[in-house]
């Protein structure tokens, strides 16, 4: 199993390009299931989660052709097997995103339940409830969701909580339903908007994406389209945090600060100097950061996917920070690993109290999930001496060529087999 060996103590300096967004690319790949015509995508990140989704789509009969460095052509013409097996779904919860499009296009779908996940229970009841409101007959048997509907019917759906993939699944299903669907309490995440933009260019009639009420007028069929995946705001935020924690000065290109207000505000509160350009962001860090408290919540509030990285920067900041996680019930697993590096963190239910220490010390640690891995890298870059991070397969799910990008910024990071 690969590990990452970090020699801490270097400030990150220089320029690096940000990749396409994993959480936008995954639902957009599933949009190819909605049409028999080709969907051409650019700025698709090279990630294990993307490879897993392409394998899953391939098993269903979707044709996949790589084009150039970051392009893909997907063809749903041969879609003939509306089944997502446990073997695929268990490795990636986002596989549930095939459920809505399969049901809408094939009239049936058999998709494994995602099961437990390290960061919390993460049920899919809202996805199922929404499809049932659209007239689907849904049975959950032997660990699979079996859904059937001659043709889905437009409905008014109000989800019990804000769910990102739930909103995406229902929005995709509604594109081919008969009549109007209204999704209330919809997720406002930029990735939902990117998916909506792609669907609209495929002929869908969607309004309100980016607000908490999305209206979809169903159409008989969708056609082919070309779409560029938006930049990854979480990858962007992660490199900003790595630069901030190491007293660095970096410029991130091919990205946008447009969806990062909550993160940029916190970094400025921590004492960083940030310059926003049209397609780039530059951050200059102070000698030592100030502690910043935060509370995670659905977009446009502070993203749960940046919580672990901010815990890492607070570990070495001046002062005490309180971090409150409101989205997932078990998303502080990185705290114990950060403490192995000398951090002072106290967990009280959904709050973490982080008391900044002057320095961390390298140690062997274990990654527990994707963003937890990122927080350990940030801590390892700051720590004195060597940090060895085990189980970095989590990292490869969501960060493209991370050791290469960090090395370009001057970090001493090596993958060891
Ligand atoms: C997506 C993101 C993930 C991010 C999360 C929250 C993708 C592929 N993943 O995950 O990176 O951390 O949003 O911003 O885009 N819930 C239910 N029932 C449901 C659906 C959700 O109880 O049917 C709960 C979840 O357990 C969680 C909360 O709602 O507590 C939000 O989850 P959700 O927004 O659905 O997360 P994902 O879409 O899985």
């Amino acid at each position: 199993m690969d590990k990452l060996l970090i020699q801490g103590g270097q400030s990150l300096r220089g320029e690096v390009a940000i990749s396409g967004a994993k959480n936008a690319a995954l639902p957009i790949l599933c949009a190819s299931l909605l049409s028999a015509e080709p969907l051409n995508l650019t700025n698709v990140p090279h990630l294990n989660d993307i490879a897993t989704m392409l394998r899953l789509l391939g098993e269903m009969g979707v044709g996949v052709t790589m084009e150039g460095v970051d392009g893909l052509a997907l063809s749903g013409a041969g879609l003939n097997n509306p089944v997502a097996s446990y073997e695929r779904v268990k490795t990636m919860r986002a596989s549930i995103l095939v459920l809505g499009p399969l049901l809408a296009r094939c009239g049936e779908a058999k998709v494994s339940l995602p099961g437990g996940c390290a960061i919390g229970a993460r049920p899919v009841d809202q996805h199922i409830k929404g499809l049932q409101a659209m007239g689907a007959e849904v049975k959950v048997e032997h660990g699979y969701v079996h859904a059937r509907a001659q043709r889905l019917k437009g409905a008014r759906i109000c989800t019990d909580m804000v769910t990102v993939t739930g909103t995406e699944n229902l929005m995709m299903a509604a594109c081919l339903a008969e009549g109007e669907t209204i999704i209330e309490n919809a997720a406002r995440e930029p990735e939902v908007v990117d998916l909506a933009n792609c669907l609209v260019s495929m002929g869908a009639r969607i309004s309100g994406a980016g607000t908490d009420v999305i209206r979809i007028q169903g159409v008989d069929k969708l056609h082919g389209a070309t779409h560029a995946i938006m930049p990854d705001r979480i990858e962007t935020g992660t490199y900003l945090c790595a630069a901030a924690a190491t007293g660095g000065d970096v410029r991130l290109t091919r990205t946008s600060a447009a969806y990062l207000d909550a993160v940029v505000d916190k970094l400025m509160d921590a004492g960083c100097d940030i310059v926003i350009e049209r397609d780039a962001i530059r951050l200059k860090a102070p000698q030592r950061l100030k502690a910043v408290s935060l509370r995670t919540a659905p977009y446009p509030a502070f993203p749960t996917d940046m919580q672990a990285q901010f815990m890492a920067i607070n570990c070495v900041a001046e002062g005490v920070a309180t971090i409150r996680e409101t989205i997932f019930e078990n998303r502080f697993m990185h705290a114990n690993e950060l403490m192995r590096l000398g951090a002072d963190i106290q967990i009280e239910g959904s709050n973490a109290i982080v008391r900044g220490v002057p320095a961390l010390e390298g140690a062997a640690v274990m990654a527990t999930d994707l963003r937890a891995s990122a927080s350990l890298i940030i801590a390892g870059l700051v720590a004195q001496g060597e940090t060895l991070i085990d189980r970095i397969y989590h990292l490869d799910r969501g960060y493209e060529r991370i050791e290469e990008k960090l090395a370009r910024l001057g970090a001493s990071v090596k993958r060891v087999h």
Side-chain angles (χ1 to χ4, degrees):
M1 215 181 282
D2 286 3
K3 299 180 183 175
L4 216 56
L5 183 64
I6 304 178
Q7 187 72 45
Q10 307 287 333
S11 295
L12 296 194
R13 278 170 204 286
E15 205 167 279
V16 87
I18 295 301
S19 304
K22 168 178 88 71
N23 286 354
L26 289 172
I28 289 172
L29 294 181
C30 296
S32 67
L33 293 166
L34 287 166
S35 170
E37 293 180 24
L39 177 61
N40 294 301
L41 302 174
T42 55
N43 205 29
V44 182
H46 294 258
L47 299 169
N48 283 353
D49 272 8
I50 299 294
T52 304
M53 186 61 90
L54 291 176
R55 231 172 283 136
L56 178 62
L57 295 174
E59 285 170 2
M60 293 173 181
V62 175
V64 179
T65 319
M66 309 290 170
E67 291 190 335
V69 190
D70 58 15
L72 270 182
L74 301 166
S75 167
L79 174 61
N80 58 7
N81 179 33
V83 179
S85 71
Y86 177 60
E87 284 313 301
R88 291 278 167 259
V89 178
K90 73 175 181 194
T91 60
M92 188 181 62
R93 186 190 144 80
S95 313
I96 194 70
L97 283 164
V98 300
L99 179 63
L102 280 180
L103 181 60
R105 172 122 179 268
C106 306
E108 60 173 327
K110 182 179 168 193
V111 178
S112 170
L113 284 170
C117 162
I119 63 173
R122 302 177 88 180
V124 292
D125 55 308
Q126 301 301 309
H127 303 235
I128 294 175
K129 192 180 97 170
L131 293 173
Q132 283 171 328
M134 295 167 80
E137 194 189 305
V138 183
K139 281 196 211 138
V140 180
E141 277 174 348
H142 307 295
Y144 278 82
V145 181
H146 295 251
R148 273 176 198 282
Q150 275 287 27
R151 186 172 179 194
L152 292 169
K153 294 196 170 47
R156 191 179 200 110
I157 302 164
C158 182
T159 54
D160 294 352
M161 78 286 296
V162 176
T163 156
V164 177
T165 49
T167 301
E168 292 165 343
N169 230 339
L170 298 175
M171 184 166 73
M172 286 193 277
C175 287
L176 294 181
E178 191 187 328
E180 186 184 51
T181 299
I182 302 172
I183 307 173
E184 291 175 351
N185 201 22
R188 291 182 279 168
E189 266 65 5
E191 293 76 13
V192 174
V193 180
D194 205 31
L195 170 65
N197 289 341
C198 176
L199 292 168
V200 167
S201 49
M202 293 170 75
R205 294 174 58 201
I206 301 174
S207 63
T211 75
D212 58 4
V213 181
I214 303 179
R215 286 170 192 270
I216 306 114
Q217 300 286 342
V219 295
D220 288 341
K221 58 182 192 175
L222 295 183
H223 51 70
T226 297
H227 181 81
I229 307 288
M230 65 176 284
D232 197 314
R233 64 191 168 104
I234 306 301
E235 189 196 20
T236 307
T238 301
Y239 283 100
L240 291 177
C241 282
T246 58
D249 178 354
V250 300
R251 185 166 174 270
L252 306 178
T253 60
R254 297 189 62 181
T255 188
S256 162
Y259 321 110
L260 270 171
D261 284 352
V263 168
V264 165
D265 284 356
K266 290 289 170 194
L267 287 168
M268 294 208 286
D269 290 349
C272 297
D273 189 6
I274 295 182
V275 179
I276 292 168
E277 302 167 35
R278 208 169 71 93
D279 297 321
I281 307 177
R282 180 164 181 184
L283 177 142
K284 278 192 218 173
Q287 198 75 339
R288 190 170 180 200
L289 297 169
K290 285 182 277 196
V292 279
S293 293
L294 57 94
R295 176 180 176 274
T296 66
Y299 189 84
F302 191 91
T304 174
D305 285 351
M306 285 301 301
Q307 178 257 102
Q309 300 86 321
F310 269 74
M311 188 180 286
I313 70 172
N314 275 311
C315 288
V316 286
E318 196 181 335
V320 182
T322 304
I323 296 182
R324 177 138 205 236
E325 172 60 55
T326 75
I327 309 277
F328 294 113
E329 66 270 28
N330 189 23
R331 210 175 195 181
F332 283 146
M333 281 171 305
H334 40 284
N336 277 329
E337 301 302 307
L338 291 169
M339 284 192 259
R340 289 180 50 77
L341 301 172
D344 180 351
I345 306 168
Q346 200 183 327
I347 305 290
E348 289 174 3
S350 56
N351 291 321
I353 296 133
V354 188
R355 292 184 175 80
V357 294
L360 297 177
E361 279 175 19
V365 289
M366 192 144 69
T368 49
D369 71 62
L370 173 57
R371 307 306 169 185
S373 321
S375 77
L376 296 177
I377 291 193
I378 295 169
L381 291 170
V382 178
Q384 292 161 355
E386 258 181 26
T387 295
L388 186 64
I389 307 179
D390 200 352
R391 301 206 177 161
I392 57 157
Y393 53 84
H394 291 293
L395 212 56
D396 295 330
R397 286 187 38 216
Y399 287 94
E400 187 174 63
R401 295 181 285 108
I402 189 160
E403 67 271 33
E404 198 183 309
K405 289 192 186 187
L406 286 170
R408 192 167 301 162
L409 296 174
S412 166
V413 180
K414 210 166 60 184
R415 186 178 287 253
V416 289
H417 299 287

